[in-house]
Amino acid sequence: MNDAPTKIETTDQLKIAVSEIVQSQSIYDIHTHLFSPEFSELLLWGIDELLTYHYLIAELFRKSDITYDHFWHMTKTQQADLIWETLFIENSPISEACRGVVTTLNELGLDVDSRNLQEYRQYFADTSVEDFIDTVFNTSNVSNVIMTNDPFDPLEEPVWETGDIGDTRFEAALRMDVLINSYDDIAYEHLRALGYDVDLTLSTDKGYREVRRFLETWIQRMNPKYMAVSLPPDFEYPEDSVLGRLFDHCILPVSREFNVPFALMIGVKRAVNPHLRMAGDGTGKADLSSLETLLREHQDNKFLVTLLSRENQHELCVIARKFKNLMVFGCWWFMNNPSIIEEITRERIELLGLSVIPQHSDARILDQLIYKWIHSRQIITDVLIEKYSTLLDVSWTLTASEIQRDVSNLFGGNFKRFLNKN
Ligand code: FIX
Ligand code: ZN
C-alpha cells in the first residue's frame, strides 16, 4: 500500500484543501470581551445585545435624527427596535457590523428573509444560556476564548474570589487599563482601600512592591494567559510618569517572573465623542519608536501587540522582523473589516510568514463569535490560497498535512508556543 502523502499540485486541489482545512480548524480566540456564565450579567448574548453593539450604535446616529439624550433614555429593547428599523429595514444592512448580525441569525437557522425581530427574540427566549454557549462554540468552531478581566471591576471580583469560573473554555486576561491609564483618579484609592500601601505619584520602592504584590495576587487568582492594556496613539516609552514607572518597576518584572506576556493594544483615542459613550472612541496613528525601545530594552519580556491605525500596520511587521519577543496579533476593532483584514493578513504573511496570530474576534456578545469567525476564516482562506499558489507556480508542491500544520499554528499553535517560550 502506498501511504505517501497526497501532493497538492493544482490550483483546484489547493482551493479545496485550504478551504476544508481552515473550516475544520478549531480556533483559540485570544482576545474577546466575553464571560463565562458565572459572571452572570457580564455575559452578553441574544438579539437585543447584538443589535445594541456599540459599533451599531455609532452607525445608528448617522442615519437617525434621534438625540443622544433620547436614545440613552430608552430601554435596551427600544434601542434594539430603533436600530433594527433604521439600519436593517429602512436601509440595507451592508456595513460589516450590520452584515454580521445577518450572518449570525442565518447561521443560527433563523429565517432572515422574514425580517421578523419578534421571531428572533422568541428563539433566544426559548434557549438556555448553557445550550446557547454550546451552539455558538460548535457553530463557530472555537475551542477557547480569552476574556478581558478587570481586577477593579466590582462585578468580577466576587467570582474570582470563589476561585471557580466554571466553563473552562473561558480563560482569563488580566486587563490593566485602570491601573495604567487611571492610576491617580481610580486605581490609587482602590489599592489603598484594599490595604496596599501605595503613594499617589507612585515613585517609591515601597509603592512598586505593593503594586507588584497586587499583580501577583491577581495572577494567582485568575491564572491569566497574558496581562493587557490599551494605550493612546501618543503613548511614550521611556517616560518619567506613572506609566513609565509602572512598566519598569511593576509590570515588566512581574510579567517576566510569572511568564505572563504583556499585551499592548495601541492607538485608541478614548471618548473622541463622549455623547456616544462606548461607541465614542476613535483612532490615531502612533509613533512606534516607543514600542521599538520597549522591545529592545526588554528582550527577556514577551509582548503581544495589535494596533488600531491602518497606517501603522506595515511598520509593525518590520519591527516584528527585528524582535522575536514580539507576537503580532489580530486586526483590532476598526481594522476588523474585510478589506483591511485582507490587506493586513497579506502584508503580515509576506513579511513574517506564518509567525503571527492573524486574528482575534474581540466579540462582546457571545453570538458574535459566529459571524466574526465566519467572515475572518473566509478572508484568511483566500489569502492562504493566493500565497500557496505562488509556490505551486514555481513547482513547489504541498501536502494537506503541511497546510494543516500551518493553519493549526496560525489559529492557536503560535500563541501556545509563544506563551511557553522562555
Ligand atoms: O480596548 C479594547 O479591548 C477594545 O477592543 C474595546 O474597548 C472596544 O470597545 C471594542 O469592543 C473593540 O472591538
Ligand atoms: Zn477588545
Side-chain angles (χ1 to χ4, degrees):
M1 196 181 119
N2 179 9
D3 55 5
T6 327
K7 293 214 168 192
I8 292 165
E9 285 159 332
T10 68
T11 312
D12 282 347
Q13 291 168 341
L14 180 70
K15 282 184 183 157
I16 294 169
V18 175
S19 304
E20 282 177 4
I21 289 168
V22 175
Q23 284 309 316
S24 58
Q25 175 62 51
S26 69
I27 283 168
Y28 196 142
D29 190 345
I30 78 154
H31 173 59
T32 76
H33 296 264
L34 302 176
F35 289 90
S36 66
E38 264 65 14
F39 291 89
S40 47
E41 77 232 59
L42 290 176
L43 169 55
L44 305 180
W45 64 290
I47 185 67
D48 287 351
E49 297 295 349
L50 267 183
L51 288 172
T52 52
Y53 185 34
H54 67 81
Y55 289 26
L56 289 176
I57 291 178
E59 291 173 32
L60 168 76
F61 284 104
R62 302 189 52 76
K63 277 290 191 176
S64 163
D65 293 328
I66 194 160
T67 63
Y68 297 123
D69 211 38
H70 187 171
F71 180 79
W72 295 120
H73 277 95
M74 288 173 151
T75 63
K76 182 157 283 182
T77 312
Q78 290 168 334
Q79 292 174 345
D81 282 340
L82 178 65
I83 291 175
W84 178 256
E85 211 42 46
T86 311
L87 297 179
F88 293 76
I89 304 301
E90 290 166 12
N91 295 279
S92 295
I94 56 175
S95 75
E96 176 61 8
C98 285
R99 173 190 164 223
V101 176
V102 182
T103 302
T104 305
L105 296 175
N106 192 39
E107 284 297 314
L108 288 172
L110 294 164
D111 177 10
V112 292
D113 202 36
S114 75
R115 304 187 182 185
N116 185 339
L117 185 51
Q118 297 317 324
E119 196 179 296
Y120 310 147
R121 286 194 170 123
Q122 196 54 49
Y123 164 86
F124 288 100
D126 293 342
T127 308
S128 76
V129 69
E130 286 76 14
D131 286 349
F132 192 61
I133 292 174
D134 288 340
T135 301
V136 170
F137 275 79
N138 291 336
T139 311
S140 57
N141 197 6
V142 167
S143 60
N144 294 79
V145 297
I146 300 192
M147 307 178 278
T148 294
N149 303 105
D150 176 3
F152 294 91
D153 185 341
L155 293 175
E156 283 196 44
E157 201 173 353
V159 183
W160 292 113
E161 266 162 15
T162 67
D164 181 15
I165 62 156
D167 193 327
T168 52
R169 286 172 291 190
F170 295 81
E171 298 180 319
L174 175 52
R175 185 72 175 230
M176 305 215 281
D177 284 40
V178 175
L179 180 68
I180 295 170
N181 297 326
S182 304
Y183 177 80
D184 34 0
D185 47 341
I186 304 178
Y188 166 72
E189 291 290 354
H190 185 103
L191 289 172
R192 303 257 342 154
L194 290 175
Y196 291 94
D197 192 2
V198 286
D199 51 308
L200 185 57
T201 55
L202 195 68
S203 40
T204 63
D205 283 341
K206 175 102 189 267
Y208 304 149
R209 265 200 311 278
E210 287 293 85
V211 174
R212 287 201 297 269
R213 187 161 72 83
F214 172 78
L215 293 176
E216 286 161 20
T217 303
W218 278 101
I219 286 177
Q220 267 138 19
R221 240 176 229 172
M222 284 181 183
N223 187 22
K225 293 291 166 197
Y226 57 84
M227 299 188 267
V229 65
S230 71
L231 295 166
D234 58 1
F235 127 83
E236 281 185 21
Y237 181 87
E239 193 183 55
D240 185 16
S241 64
V242 167
L243 180 144
R245 293 192 288 277
L246 271 170
F247 273 40
D248 287 342
H249 300 289
C250 309
I251 296 162
L252 295 174
V254 167
S255 171
R256 262 195 319 270
E257 184 183 338
F258 290 84
N259 195 20
V260 178
F262 190 21
L264 305 176
M265 307 173 71
I266 308 170
V268 55
K269 283 194 205 159
R270 296 285 179 196
V272 166
N273 180 357
H275 293 297
L276 284 171
R277 302 196 182 170
M278 196 189 276
D281 299 338
T283 178
K285 184 175 180 294
D287 174 358
L288 295 185
S289 46
S290 287
L291 177 63
E292 274 172 355
T293 308
L294 195 58
L295 293 162
R296 187 176 50 252
E297 291 185 359
H298 302 280
Q299 305 222 12
D300 293 337
N301 272 94
K302 294 188 274 190
F303 299 89
L304 290 148
V305 175
T306 197
L307 302 178
L308 200 49
S309 152
R310 180 185 176 201
E311 289 70 23
N312 278 139
Q313 301 297 330
H314 177 260
E315 203 181 343
L316 180 64
C317 292
V318 176
I319 295 174
R321 292 177 67 85
K322 311 297 146 194
F323 295 102
K324 63 177 180 174
N325 55 337
L326 163 60
M327 177 59 82
V328 173
F329 77 98
C331 303
W332 183 26
W333 200 344
F334 309 117
M335 300 297 95
N336 198 353
N337 291 309
S339 61
I340 312 221
I341 301 169
E342 186 183 327
E343 170 184 296
I344 296 178
T345 306
R346 235 192 230 127
E347 193 168 66
R348 286 176 177 170
I349 290 183
E350 285 164 10
L351 277 154
L352 299 167
L354 295 156
S355 68
V356 296
I357 299 167
Q359 188 59 305
H360 65 267
S361 74
D362 231 316
R364 276 186 178 269
I365 294 114
L366 184 62
D367 329 21
Q368 291 173 336
L369 283 179
I370 297 177
Y371 90 79
K372 299 222 184 208
W373 281 113
I374 287 181
H375 294 185
S376 290
R377 265 187 218 264
Q378 186 56 56
I379 301 160
I380 295 167
T381 300
D382 293 344
V383 174
L384 286 175
I385 290 171
E386 177 196 304
K387 294 300 163 201
Y388 284 128
S389 9
T390 61
L391 290 178
L392 291 189
D393 290 346
V394 289
S395 308
W396 179 278
T397 50
L398 293 143
T399 64
S401 63
E402 287 171 332
I403 296 175
Q404 175 67 68
R405 170 204 61 201
D406 297 346
V407 169
S408 154
N409 283 335
L410 290 174
F411 288 122
N414 289 345
F415 179 62
K416 290 181 195 154
R417 178 169 170 265
F418 190 69
L419 292 187
N420 292 332
K421 228 162 59 168
N422 283 314

